[in-house]
Amino acid sequence: MVAGELMQDLHLRADAGAPDHITVDTKSPEPEDAELEADPTARAPPAGGADGSDTFTGFEGEQEPPPDEREAMLPNGGEAGSEVEAQAETRLETRLYLKRFAVLAVFSLSSLVNAFQWIHYSIIAHVFTRYYGVSNSQVDWLSIVYMVAYVPLIFPATWLLDRRGLRLTAMLGAGLNCAGAWLKCASVNPERFGVTVTAQVVCAVAQVFILGLPSRVASVWFGPREVSTACATAVLGNQLGTAIGFLLPPVLVPTTDDVDLTGHNISIMFYGTAAVSTLLFILTVTVIQDRPPLPPSQAQAVLPDLLEDYSYKQSIINLVKNKAFILLLISYGILTGAFYSVSTLLNQMIMTCYVDQGQELNAGRIGLTLVIAGMVGSILCGLWLDHTKTYKSTTLVVYLLSFVSMLVFTFTLKVDIYLVFFTAGLLGFFMTGYLPLGFEFGVEITYPESEGTSSGLLNAFAQIFGILFTLIQGKLTTVYDPLTGNLFLCAWIFGGAILSALIKSDLKRHSVNVGAGGAVSSELQMPPPEEIKTRTVLLEPSVSFSCETSL
């Protein structure tokens, strides 16, 4: 036995990684069973050396060091390591369900119909001004009312989402959307412009319960490797509705001097929209649920523990105090508001630049190109984020390219109508592709606050800037020309790009999923040790021994 211990002593001193001044105390070993009973962890290997070939594992006779010596050996006296190991062993169960695709599809279609009802007045504004005998600015307000209604109603809507869940919120959105669509059917009369305004207000209230849900649907139903793509797909429904709103109205309601024929064409569009809205309301009631039986990710699994004492008011306060989120609010509001303004005034810009060429159909097709390109951009950006998790760099690059695209669109608007198709597609690819980036970046830097609250505030700022930009750009376009109005937007977008560069990237939600075995992003900033327990980030303990420790 003594010879064996001497051989181990020589082997330890011959090891290149062990300094010569480390001493080994030889002690009479106790029986193995007694030792394990006294200290079950005595034979557990330290971190590192998985194969056990190059790692010193201790002698049978060694005893547990006293507490003060253990504190010298381990920074937290071994307690933190044991706690983290215990958390790793009790990792919560997660699961993905096929039903998530049905939930995503139904929500996206509801958002599609709501977006269609937002833009189908503006793209044929000249038809409605003749039919109802109103001005262009009055028709513009049928689009602006979506933005006006959103701002005061976003707080009760997000409170409802947090307190009553996804299902009730989605049902309210789909139900109000259906009611507004049927009310529009009763407004088909040159004397009933007030009725169509009321119907549009109902649809505007519906979008308050719809527009902030993409991040919630993605986070609650989809896993960490597909959450950004799911959010982009949810946003895609809204963009597709805008695209159809650009394409169908000029076809269904062509320009004509016959008032009765115009009314008949408007009826076809309104009744078709009402029928589809009714079907989607039924699907929403039967398909959408608050959440799956088991959470899809560790970030969702730990939320009930993190939000035991959740307060909606405190959540708002926390978001307001988050400097990175405030910068994102303003920059997101500027770019998205500019997109709303361009979409609303596109028909007026095209008709002003090509007044004698009858370009009503091309105005709708250009709008379609704008949004279809944006849909492609949204999906590609979502896939890129799921693969790389480089939220800030991707957001900043897309923002800068949106600014460049806006400049190109501005200075080529009068050159040729077919060139506008290309420049509008370029603008839509980056400007609309930014929407899901802003949603997901906001969720990351505000976790564990509610996704609905952060997304709702982002949309509220987008609506505020959209109202201001639409009114100012519309006035500049009417008084001067489209070039002046577009240059106004370019200046604001450039300022928004500067604000985006100042946002600090702190991927809190991703850090939780990384602790559960996810991939590490180059932008990831792990939380300080005192926050590990709060965020439930499961980290492997790191053990380092002092060279002067007596073994």
Side-chain angles (χ1 to χ4, degrees):
M1 184 68 179
V2 174
E5 291 180 347
L6 289 176
M7 289 300 294
Q8 290 179 348
D9 188 7
L10 291 174
H11 176 72
L12 177 63
R13 291 181 177 275
D15 190 352
D20 292 336
H21 60 277
I22 292 181
T23 61
V24 179
D25 298 335
T26 59
K27 301 178 183 179
S28 299
E30 297 177 3
E32 182 176 354
D33 293 340
E35 177 197 44
L36 291 178
E37 181 177 349
D39 183 11
T41 62
R43 307 186 75 177
D51 57 359
S53 59
D54 297 325
T55 304
F56 179 70
T57 59
F59 300 120
E60 292 182 358
E62 99 177 354
Q63 299 179 356
E64 181 181 1
D68 56 344
E69 185 175 349
R70 181 173 63 184
E71 291 177 1
M73 296 167 62
L74 297 174
N76 295 319
E79 295 178 0
S82 300
E83 182 178 345
V84 172
E85 288 177 352
Q87 290 178 354
E89 293 176 357
T90 59
R91 190 169 297 160
L92 298 176
E93 183 181 359
T94 61
R95 181 179 175 184
L96 295 177
Y97 296 84
L98 287 177
K99 187 178 181 180
R100 68 190 189 276
F101 297 111
V103 172
L104 181 63
V106 172
F107 168 75
S108 298
L109 291 174
S110 295
S111 182
L112 181 153
V113 176
N114 185 259
F116 174 81
Q117 297 198 79
W118 164 58
I119 203 65
H120 67 181
Y121 286 108
S122 296
I123 199 60
I124 51 173
H126 60 288
V127 174
F128 283 103
T129 55
R130 292 178 184 176
Y131 183 74
Y132 287 113
V134 295
S135 64
N136 274 328
S137 62
Q138 288 176 290
V139 175
D140 288 343
W141 271 100
L142 292 174
S143 173
I144 297 173
V145 71
Y146 262 60
M147 310 174 202
V148 174
Y150 193 92
V151 177
L153 295 178
I154 181 55
F155 293 105
T158 53
W159 178 87
L160 183 70
L161 177 62
D162 289 341
R163 290 298 181 183
R164 301 302 300 271
L166 175 64
R167 175 178 168 79
L168 179 61
T169 307
M171 287 172 55
L172 277 175
L176 289 172
N177 203 40
C178 177
W182 282 107
L183 188 57
K184 287 181 181 180
C185 297
S187 70
V188 184
N189 187 296
E191 305 297 327
R192 297 178 184 173
F193 182 71
V195 178
T196 206
V197 170
T198 303
Q200 190 72 342
V201 170
V202 174
C203 293
V205 175
Q207 63 111 26
V208 178
F209 298 98
I210 294 174
L211 209 55
L213 294 185
S215 293
R216 171 60 68 92
V217 172
S219 297
V220 170
W221 282 92
F222 288 82
R225 296 185 180 275
E226 56 188 12
V227 63
S228 297
T229 305
C231 182
T233 305
V235 174
L236 186 71
N238 191 271
Q239 298 170 4
L240 184 59
T242 305
I244 297 174
F246 281 126
L247 178 65
L248 281 186
V251 176
L252 296 176
V253 190
T255 303
T256 176
D257 294 331
D258 188 338
V259 176
D260 293 335
L261 180 59
T262 300
H264 175 72
N265 294 334
I266 293 175
S267 295
I268 293 175
M269 182 174 69
F270 285 169
Y271 275 103
T273 305
V276 174
S277 298
T278 303
L279 175 62
L280 287 173
F281 174 67
I282 296 172
L283 289 175
T284 299
V285 173
T286 56
V287 173
I288 294 184
Q289 300 295 327
D290 287 332
R291 59 183 66 251
L294 290 176
S297 65
Q298 288 295 317
Q300 284 294 311
V302 302
L303 271 182
D305 295 331
L306 296 180
L307 302 178
E308 288 181 353
D309 300 323
Y310 175 78
S311 166
Y312 179 75
K313 179 181 178 181
Q314 186 60 44
S315 178
I316 296 294
I317 294 174
N318 293 340
L319 293 177
V320 172
K321 290 181 178 179
N322 190 325
K323 296 180 181 179
F325 184 65
I326 294 300
L327 291 174
L328 181 64
L329 274 181
I330 299 173
S331 59
Y332 181 90
I334 290 173
L335 190 60
T336 310
F339 169 73
Y340 291 161
S341 182
V342 170
S343 300
T344 302
L345 301 173
L346 182 63
N347 176 270
Q348 296 181 33
M349 287 190 282
I350 298 300
M351 298 302 292
T352 300
C353 293
Y354 301 94
V355 62
D356 297 327
Q357 301 179 28
Q359 300 293 344
E360 296 91 348
L361 284 177
N362 276 334
R365 292 167 182 165
I366 290 172
L368 176 66
T369 304
L370 179 84
V371 180
I372 291 294
M375 293 164 55
V376 176
S378 295
I379 292 297
L380 292 180
C381 288
L383 291 171
W384 176 258
L385 283 186
D386 279 333
H387 180 68
T388 65
K389 302 299 180 183
T390 53
Y391 288 86
K392 179 180 177 179
S393 56
T394 304
T395 299
L396 183 58
V397 169
V398 172
Y399 211 113
L400 289 173
L401 291 175
S402 298
F403 169 69
V404 173
S405 302
M406 188 66 195
L407 283 176
V408 174
F409 175 79
T410 298
F411 289 105
T412 60
L413 185 58
K414 292 184 178 181
V415 175
D416 184 78
I417 188 65
Y418 296 105
L419 180 61
V420 177
F421 276 90
F422 173 76
T423 57
L426 192 66
L427 179 65
F429 181 87
F430 294 112
M431 187 176 283
T432 314
Y434 173 81
L435 301 182
L437 296 180
F439 277 152
E440 284 298 289
F441 197 18
V443 172
E444 287 290 341
I445 62 179
T446 60
Y447 181 87
E449 307 300 338
S450 170
E451 304 91 347
T453 305
S454 61
S455 299
L457 289 176
L458 287 172
N459 279 321
F461 270 69
Q463 309 297 339
I464 292 172
F465 279 102
I467 294 169
L468 296 176
F469 289 165
T470 302
L471 293 176
I472 297 175
Q473 187 188 12
K475 191 69 174 179
L476 292 174
T477 300
T478 303
V479 176
Y480 298 100
D481 56 12
L483 177 65
T484 305
N486 286 334
L487 286 177
F488 165 78
L489 291 184
C490 289
W492 276 93
I493 294 174
F494 180 74
I498 296 175
L499 294 178
S500 293
L502 300 177
I503 299 174
K504 180 181 179 182
S505 181
D506 184 11
L507 309 185
K508 299 175 182 178
R509 180 183 65 176
H510 183 53
S511 67
V512 175
N513 289 324
V514 164
V520 179
S521 164
S522 60
E523 292 183 1
L524 178 62
Q525 298 181 5
M526 296 302 294
E530 62 271 14
E531 296 185 25
I532 290 179
K533 182 176 180 181
T534 301
R535 297 184 188 173
T536 324
V537 179
L538 305 176
L539 303 177
E540 293 296 331
S542 175
V543 181
S544 59
F545 291 89
S546 169
C547 292
E548 298 180 358
T549 300
S550 175
L551 301 179

